[in-house]
Amino acid sequence: MRSTVNSKLKIAVIGAGYWGPNLARNFSASPEWDLVAICDLDRERAQTLADRAGGNPAVFTDVGELLAQTNLDAVAVATPARTHNGVVMAALRAGKHVLVEKPLADTHERGVAMVQEAAARGLTLMADHTYCYTPAVLKIREIIADGALGDLLFIDSVRINLGLVQPDVDVFWDLAPHDLSIIDFILPGGLRPSVVSAHGADPLGSGKSCIGYLTVPLAGNAIAHVHVNWLSPTKIRRMVIGGTLRTLVWDDLNPQQRLSVYDRGVDLTQQSVDGVDRASSMVSYRLGDTWSPALPEREALGVMASEFAASIRQARPARTDGEAALRVLAVLEAASRSLLISGAMAEVEVTPVPAEAASVAALVEARR
Amino acid sequence: MRSTVNSKLKIAVIGAGYWGPNLARNFSASPEWDLVAICDLDRERAQTLADRAGGNPAVFTDVGELLAQTNLDAVAVATPARTHNGVVMAALRAGKHVLVEKPLADTHERGVAMVQEAAARGLTLMADHTYCYTPAVLKIREIIADGALGDLLFIDSVRINLGLVQPDVDVFWDLAPHDLSIIDFILPGGLRPSVVSAHGADPLGSGKSCIGYLTVPLAGNAIAHVHVNWLSPTKIRRMVIGGTLRTLVWDDLNPQQRLSVYDRGVDLTQQSVDGVDRASSMVSYRLGDTWSPALPEREALGVMASEFAASIRQARPARTDGEAALRVLAVLEAASRSLLISGAMAEVEVTPVPAEAASVAALVEARR
Amino acid sequence: MRSTVNSKLKIAVIGAGYWGPNLARNFSASPEWDLVAICDLDRERAQTLADRAGGNPAVFTDVGELLAQTNLDAVAVATPARTHNGVVMAALRAGKHVLVEKPLADTHERGVAMVQEAAARGLTLMADHTYCYTPAVLKIREIIADGALGDLLFIDSVRINLGLVQPDVDVFWDLAPHDLSIIDFILPGGLRPSVVSAHGADPLGSGKSCIGYLTVPLAGNAIAHVHVNWLSPTKIRRMVIGGTLRTLVWDDLNPQQRLSVYDRGVDLTQQSVDGVDRASSMVSYRLGDTWSPALPEREALGVMASEFAASIRQARPARTDGEAALRVLAVLEAASRSLLISGAMAEVEVTPVPAEAASVAALVEARR
Amino acid sequence: MRSTVNSKLKIAVIGAGYWGPNLARNFSASPEWDLVAICDLDRERAQTLADRAGGNPAVFTDVGELLAQTNLDAVAVATPARTHNGVVMAALRAGKHVLVEKPLADTHERGVAMVQEAAARGLTLMADHTYCYTPAVLKIREIIADGALGDLLFIDSVRINLGLVQPDVDVFWDLAPHDLSIIDFILPGGLRPSVVSAHGADPLGSGKSCIGYLTVPLAGNAIAHVHVNWLSPTKIRRMVIGGTLRTLVWDDLNPQQRLSVYDRGVDLTQQSVDGVDRASSMVSYRLGDTWSPALPEREALGVMASEFAASIRQARPARTDGEAALRVLAVLEAASRSLLISGAMAEVEVTPVPAEAASVAALVEARR
């Protein structure tokens, strides 16, 4: 098999619409990738993107034709969500590593099939959870992993804006994948709730929720909550992560101080009352300093392109692998079920991916 | 009966703890009131407040003794919530008008009894929903009443802070009365949901929710949502009120621009599809100007003192009367029930106040 | 002569360094322009830009060769400031219209020669005062022209950041051209002070001012002040324009509310004292509403490209013509002189441009 | 002589107008002081303040009568500035320690006389530079003293608001004493410039500057600049203090983050060029973390009352002693002179206080 270690990896971008140009630009600029082709049903759109991308990539209008190229290691898929399953399965069957725009698939079940296919073939299937590769989120993950926040108490995420009312998905499926993939990324064990509750409203009569509130119970009586809203005149993108030691606030629209770590909090003293250990009303407060770590200026998609290359070369799961994407899908599907029962808790149903998925490295090895 | 029209009304403040001094100061400074007494179980605390209040009010430690004074038109009650019923009922039976700190009572049922008693006696029972008398909330009520926002789509209220973990009530009962009384005040028909959902978390093991999310379906598929949190290191007090025409943002911690009215929004064009009228995907956006009305600098408690006097003199319900307080209590009780069923919708149970309550004016007239 | 009315105008960009790519991108995207060539001493840099720009522009390394092209209406010059005079004079002599990056020239005297040359030849000489074509500044100009602010009282401009210490110019020449060109653009009569004062500091010993304060007396006892600073850890770009009726605040780093017009102010009542009209101490305050006009999302350089085309086709001075650029240069030179006399007022010396400059239209007509 | 060590010190407040009540409230609440009298020409105003102050202070309308009281250690003077000299000299001659509201006197010369008188008598003369005792300024002083900012490069202070146009003083004398006293307080050696420059504008024709810019050259080629403005519709109180190591920003209107210390800056590498050490163009940038120290919630006037007591008991100069106030006066007078010469640098004239002023401790000792 061709070596992918010493030379640049070769990639094609499938889908030249809204997001494809960003992928093309970053893979084109990456020292680890050669952008060798652009594929779109609309030849003119593909050609325009190819012209602008540099490196003179080939243009295809047929995915099958593209995938028949032997001179191709991977594809980046930026087509509409309902087509992800078909395109990605074809690419995997053609032996290509795959990066796919969020959401991984339009149903959890189809996503599972894709993850299984990749695992069976020892190929990397990576989700384009772009936010996870921003300097801010990488830093949050590091701060949490270092234990600087202590045990997590709550995560409150707000993502509201005067947004495009989407024709086919509600505000949960449109915006919450960002919040959920980030939460999955920064939680040491990933996002694995057993139930979730969702409340939505459609006051304009658009046929789907334009305003959404999602409640996700976390381990240790902690709670995550996500507020998404297409109808807000002001734009807010803020996540607060409270811990027993410190609390972190991420304000993504404040470039001068995106992250703030507050050394403030509430302490409850455990007391033994009548022989039973219970939290007492002995409350104390810490009002300590605030710290804002400096963040490097790096484009998230460039970091993601590197991670995609590294996961292929090292035959290891990507940081935002297919399984992470499945966890996000499972929560979204449970949220949709909760909406149907007026916000009562709905179970998060996870189809386990068969054991052979674990043998990625072996399979990759075998293919060399 | 004594005339209350041409001379100042006479009032006593019961409870000289946290809130009592604010009441005393404002009634003392009001041109419509004479502060004639302070009552507290702790004589020294009562005396200290009396010394500072000006006007040389008398000091009592026994409510019964205070209420026996004929030289007293009204009392303002700022004792702990669980004592409200007893103190207020005694005051009403003694023929005094009553202003009572929020919440009206510790249960909806006891609140109903108080409202009935006041109605039966033709006395004013007013809730100290202080926020409703701030220049900002008065202006919001006016803007909504004028139709400037169009039909309401959503109300999103956030009230978070590093707050005192209360020994006896959870974060809903501690903070949400503010949001709920404000929403009740600004909604043209008051806050009358049939169900509510509440999600809480107690990650510190304090025995009660320290973080709360409350969802309140409103008429016309609109939604209200309240986020209260004792564990946030940053302080936010912001309410967004979205309408079909405009959206209003109230940022109470921004004294330079508390209210902003955005002439922005989403318009859906109704289309007839296959003979059926439905919202189509014809979406358009307005990106108009923003307007921030100037607000007078006035202390809310002073305005409330005037309203209390006016409702007595004009024998009309106060703007935040006992019934308004009952509506808030009913939502809080339903929220507590929802918490017990994991956030599923719980019915808001309202005990109707008997018809004679409507005859306040007649009764007041009769007493003259 | 070739018609420039019905077809696209043809332009070349000279200088492919920092700013050239922005010019190339905008002229390339403009419906009024054909980008036909890129010129840079460094052929590879020129070629890279040409590849990315679209439209397949030719590549030149020699300005003379470029200007010899008859298939060229105009050039956009983005070379270092000290080369502006040479390149622009050559272009004008070759009969090309010229857009030139700020500052127009490295001395006022050389700038005058360029303006005279353009006038004598009936060619458009336009300064790339990019900020003037932002939606915010265009709106400010309109608001002032409409009289909404009343008479101007003061302009206070702050432009500070952790900036690049430039090797050849001080902070005044690096940053203040932005503020001065904007002030010139929005003042109905342009910026024509007779004296200015400048205070600078070089605490790092870099050999030039890194911190600067510029005071510019305006007509009617008004004042303009500009604060520029390379050493500030926080970034501020704010201009306050106070008038007798209203005051406008432009906060360029607040995309959600760049412009705010405050209907607040101080009124002095004129009183006749001892038969002499003088301002008395009768002061009153207005505390009215605030209004934030919606601004379109448009790239300033695109608007500027249109203006450049329009000024050529209509044979009229561009909004930011060479004379505007001269006024900015004159203030900068006076500021440098003021620095040498410890901030005492230095005269602004303006070499008048000969009268024939006024006959632009006639000359342009003659050339057709 | 009476002991002032073991018992509370006795103080009277002279002047019951705008500021007097704040002084009375704080001295009354202080564990180190007994508020024994209030003096004002207007008996009713004095009586009202005495009633509210607690502790039943005596009321005087005549300063001479007040000062004749032997039962009085000190006076706090909050009368109009032009009366300071007379009242303070009388108090000192009566052997009272004196706290005086800013400015110390209406001229530097009269201030010198007051400082001399206090020194000669071994009495404490302290200026009420209230801001210096806020938690923020105390922390800034500490941070600078610790060397955390490195060498100071610049201080930029902005204090603007829609302010009261004062009948008798210009905006420099009204507002800049705050900035100057703070700068004097935080600079390790105090504020001792040899020259200053001031630019003012009076566009409303009020007869005095309503807008002011003050430039103060500091040691080491550093610079301080103060912008004061009565006509700004927005309120800003911000000081930026740049150092070679870090830069501090104090935003007094942001209670959630008043102080921010930025570990960012510009480094110039010293190179030897042609045998001469000079700063070269080798510039590098640090983009480090930001740190916001927690500040205690304490009222500045209470801290100041303690410092006044401590300076008396320890017979040492107060932190904001008369000499500090003289330094502020000297700069203000020089600023006024600079205004008369169009902003050219004016010398700061300091009358030296005779040497015996240094013998405070000895004199105090002698008086016991």
Side-chain angles (χ1 to χ4, degrees):
Chain A
M1 197 203 166
R2 70 188 171 275
S3 164
T4 57
V5 179
N6 297 317
S7 58
K8 286 190 175 191
L9 291 162
K10 290 175 172 41
I11 195 165
V13 168
I14 305 179
Y18 169 66
W19 196 243
N22 293 324
L23 292 172
R25 180 167 46 80
N26 276 277
F27 280 109
S28 170
S30 167
E32 285 138 347
W33 291 96
D34 264 343
L35 175 67
V36 297
I38 303 286
C39 180
D40 196 288
L41 290 176
D42 179 338
R43 175 175 292 276
E44 197 182 325
R45 198 159 71 164
Q47 188 64 57
T48 303
L49 178 51
D51 286 352
R52 242 188 282 151
N56 207 24
V59 165
F60 291 84
T61 57
D62 183 86
V63 171
E65 222 172 286
L66 170 76
L67 295 174
Q69 306 296 308
T70 53
N71 185 22
L72 192 64
D73 297 295
V75 295
V77 179
T79 58
R82 67 181 181 283
T83 68
H84 284 182
N85 182 268
V87 173
V88 171
M89 290 300 267
L92 292 170
R93 284 169 190 148
K96 314 301 183 197
H97 302 283
V98 177
L99 173 79
V100 60
E101 202 188 344
K102 65 99 190 162
L104 180 65
D106 51 353
T107 71
H108 183 263
E109 193 182 354
R110 289 199 192 95
V112 168
M114 291 151 68
V115 171
Q116 287 177 336
E117 187 70 33
R121 291 179 180 272
L123 293 167
T124 286
L125 175 60
M126 178 170 173
D128 176 5
H129 291 169
T130 317
Y131 266 108
C132 299
Y133 298 98
T134 56
V137 175
L138 289 166
K139 190 74 181 180
I140 294 172
R141 178 175 153 123
E142 181 189 320
I143 288 170
I144 292 176
D146 287 352
L149 303 188
D151 297 330
L152 293 191
L153 303 174
F154 67 91
I155 300 179
D156 184 82
S157 191
V158 177
R159 184 176 305 273
I160 68 179
N161 195 8
L162 202 58
L164 288 169
V165 172
Q166 300 291 323
D168 49 354
V169 297
D170 68 9
V171 72
F172 291 100
W173 282 79
D174 181 40
L175 296 183
H178 295 303
D179 308 275
L180 295 172
S181 61
I182 293 165
I183 295 172
D184 180 75
F185 189 74
I186 62 179
L187 283 179
L191 180 63
R192 302 173 191 275
S194 55
V195 291
V196 305
S197 159
H199 298 280
D202 175 25
L204 290 172
S206 71
K208 57 199 162 286
S209 295
C210 295
I211 303 166
Y213 298 99
L214 184 61
T215 303
V216 184
L218 300 179
N221 292 319
I223 190 171
H225 186 271
V226 176
H227 173 202
V228 283
N229 188 329
W230 279 333
L231 307 181
S232 168
T234 49
K235 191 174 182 174
I236 300 180
R237 288 184 186 170
R238 185 178 43 222
M239 192 180 281
V240 183
I241 304 168
T244 47
L245 295 180
R246 290 184 190 81
T247 297
L248 185 152
V249 176
W250 170 31
D251 183 352
D252 200 44
L253 301 184
N254 182 357
Q256 301 213 30
Q257 192 171 333
R258 276 187 222 278
L259 297 189
S260 304
V261 180
Y262 294 83
D263 191 8
R264 300 186 196 168
V266 178
D267 295 318
L268 286 192
T269 311
Q270 290 294 129
Q271 284 190 326
S272 177
V273 177
D274 298 335
V276 184
D277 266 353
R278 57 187 289 275
S280 77
S281 55
M282 297 300 293
V283 180
S284 63
Y285 296 83
R286 274 172 298 108
L287 282 171
D289 297 352
T290 303
W291 165 68
S292 298
L295 297 174
E297 291 282 342
R298 251 189 272 138
E299 186 168 359
L301 277 177
V303 180
M304 194 197 62
S306 295
E307 169 68 6
F308 189 28
S311 85
I312 293 170
R313 291 188 199 278
Q314 299 165 23
R316 60 157 174 84
R319 279 180 157 192
T320 53
D321 63 2
E323 304 236 18
L326 284 182
R327 291 193 293 272
V328 171
L329 273 183
V331 170
L332 287 170
E333 288 200 342
S336 293
R337 285 194 298 274
S338 174
L339 284 178
L340 299 176
I341 51 175
S342 299
M345 286 289 174
E347 282 191 31
V348 178
E349 294 168 12
V350 182
T351 308
V353 178
E356 62 260 36
S359 58
V360 171
L363 279 159
V364 167
E365 192 55 34
R367 292 181 70 240
R368 285 172 196 248
Chain B
M1 197 202 167
R2 69 188 172 275
S3 165
T4 56
V5 179
N6 296 316
S7 57
K8 285 190 174 190
L9 292 161
K10 291 177 171 39
I11 195 164
V13 168
I14 305 178
Y18 169 65
W19 196 243
N22 293 324
L23 292 172
R25 180 167 45 81
N26 276 277
F27 281 109
S28 171
S30 167
E32 286 138 347
W33 290 97
D34 264 343
L35 175 67
V36 296
I38 304 286
C39 180
D40 196 287
L41 291 176
D42 179 338
R43 175 175 293 274
E44 197 182 323
R45 197 158 70 164
Q47 188 65 56
T48 303
L49 178 50
D51 286 351
R52 241 187 282 152
N56 206 24
V59 165
F60 292 83
T61 56
D62 183 86
V63 171
E65 222 172 288
L66 170 75
L67 295 174
Q69 306 297 307
T70 54
N71 186 24
L72 192 64
D73 298 294
V75 295
V77 179
T79 58
R82 67 181 182 283
T83 69
H84 284 181
N85 183 266
V87 173
V88 171
M89 291 300 267
L92 293 170
R93 284 169 190 150
K96 314 302 183 195
H97 302 282
V98 177
L99 172 79
V100 60
E101 203 188 342
K102 64 99 189 161
L104 180 66
D106 51 352
T107 71
H108 183 263
E109 193 183 353
R110 287 198 193 96
V112 168
M114 292 151 67
V115 170
Q116 286 177 335
E117 188 70 32
R121 293 179 179 271
L123 292 167
T124 288
L125 175 61
M126 178 170 173
D128 176 6
H129 291 168
T130 317
Y131 267 110
C132 298
Y133 298 98
T134 57
V137 175
L138 289 166
K139 190 73 179 182
I140 294 173
R141 178 176 155 124
E142 181 189 319
I143 288 170
I144 292 177
D146 286 352
L149 303 188
D151 297 330
L152 292 192
L153 303 174
F154 67 91
I155 300 178
D156 185 82
S157 190
V158 178
R159 185 174 306 273
I160 67 180
N161 196 7
L162 202 59
L164 287 168
V165 172
Q166 300 292 322
D168 49 354
V169 296
D170 67 10
V171 73
F172 291 100
W173 282 79
D174 181 40
L175 296 182
H178 294 302
D179 308 275
L180 295 172
S181 62
I182 293 165
I183 294 172
D184 180 75
F185 189 74
I186 62 178
L187 284 179
L191 181 64
R192 301 174 191 276
S194 55
V195 292
V196 306
S197 160
H199 298 279
D202 175 24
L204 290 172
S206 71
K208 56 198 162 289
S209 294
C210 294
I211 302 165
Y213 298 99
L214 184 61
T215 303
V216 184
L218 300 180
N221 291 319
I223 189 170
H225 186 271
V226 177
H227 174 203
V228 282
N229 189 328
W230 279 333
L231 307 181
S232 168
T234 49
K235 190 173 182 176
I236 300 180
R237 287 184 186 170
R238 185 176 43 220
M239 192 179 281
V240 184
I241 304 169
T244 46
L245 295 180
R246 291 184 190 81
T247 297
L248 185 152
V249 176
W250 170 31
D251 184 352
D252 200 44
L253 301 183
N254 182 357
Q256 300 213 31
Q257 192 171 333
R258 276 189 221 278
L259 297 190
S260 305
V261 180
Y262 293 84
D263 191 7
R264 300 187 196 167
V266 178
D267 296 318
L268 286 192
T269 311
Q270 291 292 129
Q271 284 190 325
S272 177
V273 177
D274 298 335
V276 184
D277 266 353
R278 58 187 289 276
S280 76
S281 54
M282 296 300 292
V283 179
S284 62
Y285 296 84
R286 275 172 298 109
L287 282 171
D289 297 352
T290 302
W291 165 67
S292 298
L295 297 174
E297 291 283 342
R298 252 189 271 140
E299 187 169 358
L301 277 177
V303 180
M304 194 197 61
S306 294
E307 168 69 4
F308 189 30
S311 83
I312 293 170
R313 291 187 199 278
Q314 300 165 21
R316 60 157 175 84
R319 280 181 157 191
T320 52
D321 63 3
E323 305 237 18
L326 283 182
R327 291 193 293 272
V328 170
L329 273 184
V331 170
L332 288 170
E333 289 200 340
S336 293
R337 285 194 298 274
S338 174
L339 284 178
L340 299 176
I341 51 174
S342 299
M345 286 290 174
E347 281 192 32
V348 178
E349 293 168 12
V350 182
T351 307
V353 177
E356 61 262 35
S359 60
V360 172
L363 280 160
V364 167
E365 192 55 33
R367 292 181 71 240
R368 288 177 191 244
Chain C
M1 196 201 166
R2 69 188 171 277
S3 164
T4 55
V5 178
N6 296 317
S7 58
K8 286 191 174 190
L9 291 161
K10 291 177 173 39
I11 194 165
V13 168
I14 305 178
Y18 169 66
W19 195 243
N22 292 324
L23 292 172
R25 180 166 46 79
N26 275 278
F27 281 109
S28 171
S30 167
E32 285 139 346
W33 290 97
D34 265 343
L35 175 67
V36 297
I38 304 286
C39 178
D40 196 286
L41 290 176
D42 178 338
R43 175 174 292 276
E44 197 182 324
R45 194 158 74 163
Q47 187 64 55
T48 302
L49 178 50
D51 286 351
R52 243 188 280 152
N56 206 24
V59 164
F60 292 83
T61 56
D62 183 86
V63 171
E65 222 173 287
L66 170 75
L67 294 174
Q69 305 297 308
T70 54
N71 185 24
L72 191 65
D73 298 294
V75 295
V77 179
T79 57
R82 67 182 179 283
T83 67
H84 284 181
N85 181 267
V87 173
V88 171
M89 290 300 267
L92 292 170
R93 285 169 189 149
K96 314 302 182 194
H97 300 284
V98 177
L99 173 78
V100 61
E101 203 188 343
K102 64 98 191 161
L104 179 67
D106 51 352
T107 70
H108 183 264
E109 192 183 354
R110 289 198 193 95
V112 168
M114 291 151 69
V115 170
Q116 286 177 334
E117 186 72 32
R121 293 178 179 272
L123 293 167
T124 287
L125 174 61
M126 178 172 173
D128 176 6
H129 291 167
T130 317
Y131 266 109
C132 298
Y133 297 98
T134 56
V137 175
L138 289 167
K139 190 73 179 182
I140 295 172
R141 178 177 154 122
E142 180 188 320
I143 288 170
I144 292 176
D146 286 353
L149 302 189
D151 296 330
L152 293 192
L153 303 174
F154 66 91
I155 300 178
D156 184 82
S157 191
V158 178
R159 184 175 306 273
I160 66 179
N161 195 9
L162 202 57
L164 288 169
V165 172
Q166 301 290 323
D168 49 353
V169 296
D170 67 10
V171 72
F172 291 99
W173 282 79
D174 181 39
L175 296 182
H178 295 303
D179 308 275
L180 295 173
S181 61
I182 293 165
I183 294 172
D184 180 75
F185 189 74
I186 62 179
L187 283 180
L191 180 64
R192 302 173 190 275
S194 54
V195 291
V196 306
S197 159
H199 297 280
D202 175 25
L204 290 172
S206 71
K208 57 199 161 286
S209 293
C210 294
I211 303 165
Y213 298 98
L214 184 60
T215 302
V216 183
L218 301 180
N221 291 319
I223 189 170
H225 187 270
V226 176
H227 173 201
V228 283
N229 188 329
W230 280 332
L231 307 181
S232 168
T234 50
K235 190 174 181 174
I236 299 179
R237 288 184 186 170
R238 186 176 44 223
M239 192 180 281
V240 183
I241 305 168
T244 47
L245 296 180
R246 292 185 190 79
T247 297
L248 186 152
V249 177
W250 170 31
D251 184 352
D252 200 44
L253 301 183
N254 182 357
Q256 302 213 31
Q257 192 171 333
R258 276 188 221 279
L259 297 190
S260 305
V261 180
Y262 293 83
D263 191 7
R264 298 187 197 166
V266 178
D267 295 318
L268 286 192
T269 311
Q270 292 290 130
Q271 285 190 326
S272 177
V273 178
D274 297 335
V276 184
D277 265 352
R278 58 187 291 274
S280 79
S281 56
M282 297 300 292
V283 180
S284 62
Y285 296 84
R286 274 171 299 109
L287 282 171
D289 297 351
T290 303
W291 165 67
S292 297
L295 297 174
E297 290 283 342
R298 251 188 273 141
E299 186 168 358
L301 277 178
V303 179
M304 193 197 63
S306 294
E307 169 68 6
F308 189 29
S311 85
I312 293 171
R313 291 188 199 279
Q314 299 165 23
R316 61 155 174 83
R319 279 180 157 193
T320 52
D321 62 3
E323 304 237 18
L326 284 183
R327 290 192 293 272
V328 171
L329 274 183
V331 171
L332 288 170
E333 289 200 339
S336 293
R337 284 193 298 272
S338 175
L339 285 177
L340 298 176
I341 50 175
S342 300
M345 287 290 174
E347 280 192 33
V348 178
E349 293 167 12
V350 183
T351 308
V353 177
E356 61 261 35
S359 60
V360 172
L363 280 159
V364 167
E365 193 53 35
R367 291 181 70 243
R368 289 177 190 242
Chain D
M1 197 202 166
R2 69 188 172 273
S3 164
T4 55
V5 179
N6 296 316
S7 58
K8 286 190 173 190
L9 291 161
K10 292 176 172 39
I11 195 165
V13 168
I14 304 178
Y18 169 65
W19 195 243
N22 293 323
L23 293 172
R25 180 168 46 79
N26 276 277
F27 281 108
S28 172
S30 167
E32 285 139 346
W33 291 95
D34 264 343
L35 175 67
V36 296
I38 303 286
C39 180
D40 196 287
L41 290 176
D42 179 337
R43 175 174 292 276
E44 197 182 323
R45 196 159 71 164
Q47 189 64 56
T48 303
L49 178 51
D51 287 351
R52 240 187 284 151
N56 206 25
V59 165
F60 291 84
T61 55
D62 183 86
V63 171
E65 223 172 286
L66 170 76
L67 295 174
Q69 306 297 308
T70 53
N71 185 23
L72 191 65
D73 298 294
V75 294
V77 179
T79 58
R82 68 182 180 283
T83 68
H84 285 182
N85 182 267
V87 173
V88 171
M89 291 300 266
L92 292 170
R93 284 168 190 150
K96 313 302 182 194
H97 301 282
V98 177
L99 173 80
V100 61
E101 202 188 343
K102 64 99 190 158
L104 180 65
D106 51 352
T107 70
H108 182 264
E109 191 183 355
R110 289 198 192 95
V112 168
M114 292 151 67
V115 170
Q116 286 177 336
E117 186 71 32
R121 292 179 179 272
L123 292 167
T124 288
L125 174 60
M126 177 171 174
D128 176 5
H129 291 169
T130 316
Y131 266 110
C132 298
Y133 298 97
T134 57
V137 175
L138 288 166
K139 190 74 180 181
I140 294 172
R141 178 177 154 122
E142 182 189 318
I143 288 170
I144 292 175
D146 287 352
L149 303 188
D151 297 331
L152 292 191
L153 302 174
F154 66 91
I155 300 179
D156 184 82
S157 191
V158 178
R159 185 175 306 272
I160 67 179
N161 195 10
L162 203 57
L164 288 169
V165 173
Q166 300 292 322
D168 49 353
V169 296
D170 66 11
V171 73
F172 291 99
W173 281 79
D174 181 39
L175 297 182
H178 295 302
D179 308 274
L180 295 172
S181 62
I182 293 165
I183 294 172
D184 180 74
F185 189 73
I186 61 178
L187 283 180
L191 180 64
R192 302 174 190 275
S194 55
V195 291
V196 306
S197 158
H199 298 280
D202 175 25
L204 290 172
S206 71
K208 56 197 161 290
S209 293
C210 295
I211 303 165
Y213 299 97
L214 185 59
T215 302
V216 184
L218 300 179
N221 291 320
I223 189 171
H225 187 270
V226 176
H227 173 200
V228 283
N229 189 329
W230 279 333
L231 306 181
S232 167
T234 50
K235 191 173 180 174
I236 299 180
R237 287 184 188 170
R238 185 176 43 222
M239 192 180 281
V240 183
I241 305 167
T244 47
L245 295 180
R246 292 183 189 81
T247 297
L248 186 151
V249 177
W250 170 32
D251 183 353
D252 200 45
L253 301 184
N254 182 357
Q256 301 212 33
Q257 191 171 333
R258 275 188 222 277
L259 297 190
S260 305
V261 180
Y262 293 84
D263 191 7
R264 299 187 197 166
V266 177
D267 295 317
L268 286 192
T269 311
Q270 292 291 130
Q271 285 190 327
S272 177
V273 177
D274 298 336
V276 183
D277 265 353
R278 59 187 290 275
S280 77
S281 57
M282 297 299 292
V283 179
S284 63
Y285 295 85
R286 274 172 299 108
L287 283 171
D289 297 352
T290 303
W291 164 69
S292 298
L295 297 174
E297 290 282 343
R298 249 189 275 140
E299 187 168 356
L301 277 177
V303 180
M304 193 197 62
S306 294
E307 168 69 4
F308 188 30
S311 84
I312 293 170
R313 291 188 198 279
Q314 299 164 23
R316 61 157 174 83
R319 280 181 157 192
T320 52
D321 62 2
E323 304 236 19
L326 283 183
R327 291 193 292 271
V328 171
L329 274 183
V331 170
L332 288 170
E333 289 199 340
S336 293
R337 284 194 298 273
S338 175
L339 285 177
L340 298 176
I341 50 175
S342 300
M345 288 288 175
E347 280 191 34
V348 178
E349 292 168 13
V350 182
T351 308
V353 177
E356 62 262 34
S359 60
V360 172
L363 279 160
V364 168
E365 192 54 35
R367 293 180 71 242
R368 289 179 189 237

